[in-house]
Amino acid sequence: MTRHLISSADLTRRDVEDILETAASMHDLQRREVKKVPTLRGRTVINFFFEDSTRTRSSFEIAGKWMSADTINLSAKGSSTSKGESLRDTAMTIDAMAVDALVIRHNASGACHQVAKWVRCSVINAGDGTHEHPTQALLDAYTLRTRLGDLDGRHVVIVGDLTHSRVFRSNVITLKTLGARVTVVAPPTLMPSGIAAWSEADGFATSWDLDAVLDGDDPVDAVMMLRVQRERMSGGFFPTPREYTVGYGLTRDRLDRLVARNEDVLVLHPGPMNRGLEIAPEAADAPQSVVLDQVSAGVAVRMAVLYHLLAGDDTPAPAATSPDASSAPTSRTTEGAAR
Amino acid sequence: MACPDLSAPTQSSDDRSSIPEDARDVMSEGDISRALRRIGHEILERNKGSEGLVLLGIPSRGVPLARRLAACIEDVEGHAVPVGELDITLHRDDLRRNPVRAAHRSRIPDGGIDDRVVVLVDDVLYSGRTIRAALDALSELGRPRAVRLAVLVDRGHRELPIRADHVGKNLPTSRDERVHVRVAEVDGLEVVRISGGESR
């Protein structure tokens, strides 16, 4: 395992499988009367959220507490950031308090990568700009595997605002790591530029036509709807919300067609949902929907991530000496030494 | 909410290293089977029958041993006793000294452990730290009427006030010797060997 979790690409297939295996045992804990294990006693986890969040922040906080770590939440509002302190000074200040992990959500892509160069503690990316959201991809993979078993060769379709979606970027990587086949669908205006080269390199398919993919020759095992971010609606990416729904929403009719071909098809959404926009209420509440399973898996998967990053040997990490010391954020530790 | 299949065998990941050439046999396949049969009888004798018994194996090799003890008990009593497995990874006191390994799911039989007599089953009893972790893990799952411990080999050198109720073989060892237990279900080989130590 790596010391930090910045990108889904930091994780090998073995890492992902270990985390998901651990998450399954954490999920059992969640159903018990006493939801606490002593595993991370004495460790301190800071959740620093520069951007609003309900489920990611609360699930990281619960995850830390159930593992007996001390967790503290900070937000940009009410911290020295609002007084103009730079990200680097804030990160180094917190690090100087000898914390063990810093969970960061930030509106700038690459913020976590930067912070990891400045601090001694582990850095966990809880969403950075339009870059990545690796724990979301892990909990999606967990949810999929719980229902489908091994993901090798499974066909997952990701639909929505790909340009601005960190969930999509992390998911493409993790699903590929686990051997699934991915097709991504978006209107041309929301398809990231340069995706052709990327999709070729990483072996996923792209399309502008949702119906062609859903009714295509390749049966769909799961469809993941991405949230249409309200702030994008006035950005000229699509003419009206109604038009988006007609072209790219998971409407009742599309769900019926999916279910007619595969009764066990799964519907995922990272939340929060815009019902009636990217997903119809009938689809959100259908038996095929695993949206609440995703939320429930969120705590278990984040416990597993904290466990794998923090429970192991506490050999001091190389100290961050000068601010421009370029210690790679993905430096490998003693992987597999006891395996 | 659907769960992964509980009946699937667990994957053993630790201690797959090969046994050194100079290792000598201390228990053969026949010795192991006779020891387990005796322990099965002892458990029944101590418990005055199989009423309320739950056998919990500690991964990895405690699990098949627990299953076999349960089969012995079923032979004698004519009905099955519940068997499960107890993963202790999250309760180990040496987590910080080793690279992380994945935690696995504990499989507790239906009916739980409340007011049952839980027999923990492991292959080797050494420092006692594994059993300490197992007792902590148990206390989070319920409140058994009693907890007993059955091990195939007791090699001494306890670091905690813990002792086994049922022992297959007491094996005096020095600390620099290694005891290798291999069971058919995990290793495709059934033997207890000891290596190292004697050339001091």
Side-chain angles (χ1 to χ4, degrees):
Chain A
M1 278 287 293
T2 57
R3 183 159 66 90
H4 306 297
L5 180 55
I6 310 290
S7 160
S8 292
D10 295 345
L11 302 174
T12 64
R13 180 167 183 146
R14 176 67 198 256
D15 291 337
V16 174
E17 285 174 346
D18 276 354
I19 289 172
L20 299 185
E21 170 77 41
T22 302
S25 79
M26 302 298 183
H27 215 160
D28 290 342
L29 182 83
Q30 215 165 318
R31 301 188 194 98
R32 283 199 221 143
E33 214 171 301
V34 181
K35 301 180 182 69
K36 197 116 179 166
V37 287
T39 317
L40 295 181
R41 207 170 50 194
R43 306 267 168 160
T44 307
V45 178
I46 307 271
N47 296 319
F48 203 161
F49 280 64
F50 293 83
E51 227 183 51
D52 295 341
S53 162
T54 307
R55 63 208 77 211
T56 306
R57 190 170 78 174
S58 55
S59 63
F60 262 114
E61 184 178 2
I62 294 171
K65 291 199 155 128
W66 286 355
M67 303 284 287
S68 298
D70 296 301
T71 62
I72 290 168
N73 291 331
L74 293 174
S75 54
K77 222 177 284 167
S79 73
S80 291
T81 307
S82 59
K83 297 181 189 166
E85 188 174 52
S86 71
L87 176 63
R88 183 178 151 237
D89 284 337
T90 306
M92 287 174 70
T93 302
I94 294 169
D95 190 47
M97 297 180 200
V99 302
D100 297 289
L102 196 48
V103 178
I104 300 179
R105 167 163 293 185
H106 201 282
N107 52 6
S109 304
C112 298
H113 183 97
Q114 281 290 344
V115 169
K117 292 181 189 170
W118 297 327
V119 298
R120 178 207 44 85
C121 65
S122 290
V123 175
I124 299 172
N125 184 353
D128 62 331
T130 60
H131 177 222
E132 282 216 48
H133 193 355
T135 58
Q136 177 72 39
L138 287 169
L139 74 89
D140 290 338
Y142 179 87
T143 307
L144 288 168
R145 270 169 49 122
T146 304
R147 294 293 184 108
L148 300 175
D150 217 337
L151 296 187
D152 272 309
R154 295 291 194 163
H155 185 207
V156 181
V157 178
I158 304 178
V159 189
D161 178 355
L162 302 180
T163 299
H164 303 102
S165 175
R166 51 196 177 211
V167 174
F168 141 72
R169 285 178 175 74
S170 287
N171 255 301
V172 164
I173 297 168
T174 297
L175 287 170
K176 186 200 170 210
T177 304
L178 291 173
R181 289 175 300 116
V182 180
T183 304
V184 300
V185 182
T189 48
L190 290 171
M191 191 67 92
S193 59
I195 197 166
W198 179 20
S199 67
E200 203 168 301
D202 266 2
F204 61 91
T206 62
S207 171
W208 294 341
D209 187 344
L210 179 58
D211 289 314
V213 172
L214 299 188
D215 301 329
D217 297 331
D218 196 354
V220 176
D221 291 299
V223 50
M224 184 181 297
M225 305 307 298
L226 301 174
R227 183 170 68 96
V228 173
Q229 305 179 20
R230 296 213 170 260
E231 56 273 28
R232 316 283 174 219
M233 282 190 220
S234 54
F237 293 105
F238 45 88
T240 63
R242 170 91 193 122
E243 208 156 317
Y244 182 87
T245 307
V246 169
Y248 298 93
L250 186 59
T251 57
R252 183 180 198 155
D253 169 59
R254 289 197 174 103
L255 179 73
D256 288 346
R257 270 155 45 214
L258 274 172
V259 172
R261 289 186 69 185
N262 173 11
E263 208 183 319
D264 299 321
V265 71
L266 298 179
V267 174
L268 291 89
H269 191 297
M273 291 187 282
N274 296 308
R275 285 172 183 258
L277 182 53
E278 73 268 3
I279 186 165
E282 293 86 351
D285 301 326
Q288 286 76 17
S289 164
V290 289
V291 173
L292 290 177
D293 292 10
Q294 290 173 274
V295 177
S296 160
V299 175
V301 165
R302 287 172 180 127
M303 288 171 83
V305 166
L306 289 175
Y307 169 75
H308 279 271
L309 290 180
L310 301 183
D313 62 35
D314 48 1
T315 332
T321 43
S322 69
D324 50 10
S326 57
S327 59
T330 59
S331 64
R332 302 269 157 179
T333 50
T334 54
E335 186 182 12
R339 280 169 185 162
Chain B
M1 126 129 245
C3 298
D5 184 6
L6 279 175
S7 62
T10 45
Q11 197 74 44
S12 143
S13 56
D14 58 320
D15 197 15
R16 288 262 188 174
S17 53
S18 58
I19 307 176
E21 295 269 322
D22 66 340
R24 58 183 200 281
D25 288 13
V26 286
M27 285 180 96
S28 67
E29 192 172 341
D31 295 333
I32 293 173
S33 134
R34 281 188 290 276
L36 287 175
R37 200 155 282 279
R38 173 175 54 74
I39 291 174
H41 282 284
E42 281 181 15
I43 291 171
L44 285 173
E45 194 181 357
R46 172 94 184 258
N47 196 57
K48 302 186 171 64
S50 61
E51 182 65 33
L53 277 181
V54 176
L55 304 188
L56 292 181
I58 298 173
S60 53
R61 292 183 184 80
V63 177
L65 294 179
R67 291 211 186 98
R68 279 195 242 168
L69 277 176
C72 291
I73 289 172
E74 187 173 353
D75 270 357
V76 177
E77 293 286 291
H79 57 87
V81 294
V83 197
E85 52 190 271
L86 183 67
D87 188 81
I88 58 142
T89 314
L90 298 176
H91 297 271
R92 299 182 72 93
D93 61 2
D94 58 355
L95 284 171
R96 289 189 181 202
R97 291 160 179 248
N98 296 302
V100 181
R101 39 170 113 172
H104 297 276
R105 307 182 69 180
S106 289
R107 290 152 213 264
I108 303 302
D110 296 342
I113 58 165
D114 281 337
D115 298 314
R116 305 292 182 109
V117 175
V118 172
V119 181
L120 295 173
V121 183
D122 204 359
D123 52 355
V124 180
L125 179 59
Y126 183 27
S127 66
R129 289 175 190 272
T130 302
I131 305 305
R132 201 273 315 154
L135 292 171
D136 282 356
L138 266 189
S139 71
E140 274 166 16
L141 293 167
R143 185 179 184 279
R145 182 151 56 84
V147 182
R148 307 223 165 94
L149 173 61
V151 296
L152 185 59
V153 174
D154 180 351
R155 61 167 295 192
H157 304 289
R158 214 76 75 241
E159 294 165 7
L160 295 169
I162 281 169
R163 99 189 138 71
D165 299 271
H166 310 287
V167 178
K169 187 179 178 67
N170 279 298
L171 193 61
T173 58
S174 77
R175 280 182 189 272
D176 46 358
E177 284 172 320
R178 292 199 57 180
V179 175
H180 310 270
V181 175
R182 294 292 179 268
V183 296
E185 294 91 330
V186 177
D187 310 286
L189 170 74
E190 183 97 353
V191 75
V192 179
R193 285 183 184 146
I194 190 165
S195 70
E198 60 262 79
S199 59
R200 274 173 303 156

